[in-house]
Amino acid sequence: MKKLIALLAVLTVMSFAATAMAETNGQQAANNDIVRTASNVVATMVQSRVATIVAPKPLGLRVQNHVDAKGNFAFATDANELGISSGDAGYDFGLWAMGQYTYFSSDQSGAKYDADMYNIMAGVDYRVTPKFLVGVALGWGALDLDKENWNSGADDGDLSTDDEWTIMPYAAYNITDTLIVDGAVAYSNATYDDDDGSDTGHYDSDRYLANIGISKYFLYDAWTFSGRLGYMYVSGDLSNYSRGAANIAQDDTYLGQASLEAKAAYFINGWEPYAALKYFYDTTVSDIPAGSDYDEFEGVLGVKWYANDQWSLNLEGAASMGREDYESYRGQATIRYEF
């Protein structure tokens, strides 16, 4: 009888251990996707702002914003009169705010999910010299991830954050009017709620990010063509936690990712529609991705409106493609004021 009781105890412990291992495997795959997606969201939000601030303005700009004698509004089209031409900023300070929604999902066996991510970021920057800009951004985010058949169907719960906070200093330097280097570092903190449908556990996440890139611009009439080569490194510290009877140990996450972007924009009557194609390659990862697929593309469509010499508005949408068992779509809106 004692041997039978001992055997049952061992089997019980092994069952809990297997459950924790299965949870950790699904959790690890999701954590890697969250780190990659969330980091790209934050980096893109700030990176796109820096590029817009310091990039050369379209050669198609001709006449200053004004109300003509008949009371009709004429769009700003002269960079020099606006004070926003490359290397000759009209204002030293800038304020901007951005909102972004991202949907991403995975079909990886044992780690299927659908996720919604919401981000708001605001920043202020100062042009120390005509060629050197520094700034800082603060961000808030929330995640709602619905699991599907984790732990052999025993876990169809959800993974969510109440709040995620980010601080991100950034800088850019115009080597020439059309050659720009930019960089940023960031720290993010969040508490995750992990619900398997019966029990809920909580764990903390600290994420550290560094991002650097160099961009080159080519201007031809109303067209602006540009390219950017960049690199991002992210390290995430995740705490272990308990959920019900399961003790779940989590490995820390890290990601090194190179990126290449090609973009074309056309200026017409105060509006600048644009299209871009981005390529991402994971140079170092904390866990092998689904299908050992280390790269993906992202297609981008957007439009910018130069309202006047101080206000501008930007709308953008993007979709990922080419990464096995993973897809993502995002949309964002940005407003900027210079003074």
Side-chain angles (χ1 to χ4, degrees):
M1 179 61 72
K2 290 182 179 180
K3 291 183 179 181
L4 178 60
I5 293 174
L7 178 60
L8 290 174
V10 170
L11 291 175
T12 300
V13 171
M14 290 178 64
S15 175
F16 283 137
T19 298
M21 180 63 70
E23 287 289 346
T24 301
N25 291 340
Q27 190 85 10
Q28 185 69 24
N31 285 340
N32 291 331
D33 286 350
I34 291 170
V35 166
R36 186 179 66 252
T37 304
S39 299
N40 274 320
V41 164
V42 171
T44 297
M45 292 176 84
V46 171
Q47 174 187 311
S48 63
R49 296 316 309 140
V50 172
T52 301
I53 297 163
V54 299
K57 299 304 181 288
L59 290 178
L61 299 168
R62 291 285 184 269
V63 186
Q64 186 177 11
N65 279 346
H66 65 281
V67 177
D68 63 21
K70 296 181 179 180
N72 298 317
F73 180 77
F75 291 102
T77 55
D78 187 331
N80 292 320
E81 293 178 9
L82 286 173
I84 56 175
S85 59
S86 174
D88 184 23
Y91 300 96
D92 292 330
F93 291 93
L95 296 173
W96 58 269
M98 175 185 290
Q100 183 172 115
Y101 166 74
T102 305
Y103 168 83
F104 62 104
S105 65
S106 171
D107 290 325
Q108 183 180 354
S109 178
K112 293 182 179 181
Y113 64 79
D114 293 288
D116 300 289
M117 184 181 294
Y118 308 87
N119 293 89
I120 298 173
M121 185 166 277
V124 58
D125 43 67
Y126 174 65
R127 201 177 290 270
V128 181
T129 72
K131 293 181 176 293
F132 183 49
L133 177 139
V134 295
V136 62
L138 298 175
W140 170 90
L143 171 73
D144 184 9
L145 182 149
D146 295 323
K147 308 173 190 176
E148 182 181 340
N149 294 320
W150 286 21
N151 189 24
S152 301
D155 186 352
D156 280 319
D158 59 78
L159 183 66
S160 62
T161 60
D162 294 326
D163 298 290
E164 177 172 310
W165 298 99
T166 298
I167 181 169
M168 192 170 195
Y170 57 91
Y173 182 75
N174 288 69
I175 300 173
T176 69
D177 283 353
T178 58
L179 186 63
I180 300 163
V181 61
D182 65 86
V185 294
Y187 167 73
S188 298
N189 174 264
T191 298
Y192 285 80
D193 299 325
D194 180 15
D195 184 356
D196 67 356
S198 300
D199 300 296
T200 302
H202 309 279
Y203 64 91
D204 296 323
S205 168
D206 295 294
R207 191 180 305 132
Y208 307 87
L209 177 150
N211 186 41
I212 189 169
I214 186 167
S215 303
K216 176 65 177 177
Y217 291 81
F218 303 90
L219 285 75
Y220 179 76
D221 289 337
W223 287 96
T224 300
F225 303 97
S226 62
R228 183 182 186 275
L229 177 65
Y231 190 79
M232 176 181 71
Y233 186 82
V234 188
S235 176
D237 297 332
L238 304 172
S239 65
N240 300 331
Y241 66 106
S242 297
R243 192 193 60 221
N247 295 317
I248 300 174
Q250 299 199 101
D251 294 330
D252 292 339
T253 57
Y254 57 86
L255 169 70
Q257 187 178 76
S259 62
L260 183 65
E261 175 183 358
K263 181 179 178 180
Y266 184 80
F267 183 85
I268 179 170
N269 294 330
W271 297 85
E272 190 178 30
Y274 59 87
L277 182 64
K278 300 180 180 182
Y279 175 71
F280 302 95
Y281 183 81
D282 304 339
T283 60
T284 180
V285 293
S286 53
D287 193 48
I288 298 175
S292 297
D293 192 346
Y294 292 89
D295 65 346
E296 66 182 281
F297 289 90
E298 183 183 55
V300 181
L301 290 175
V303 61
K304 183 176 181 179
W305 177 43
Y306 295 91
N308 57 36
D309 63 338
Q310 291 178 281
W311 291 95
S312 61
L313 176 68
N314 194 90
L315 301 175
E316 181 176 293
S320 70
M321 60 196 92
R323 190 181 289 269
E324 187 168 341
D325 294 330
Y326 175 84
E327 62 179 4
S328 70
Y329 305 89
R330 63 178 176 86
Q332 66 184 44
T334 310
I335 189 169
R336 177 172 173 81
Y337 174 71
E338 297 189 7
F339 61 99

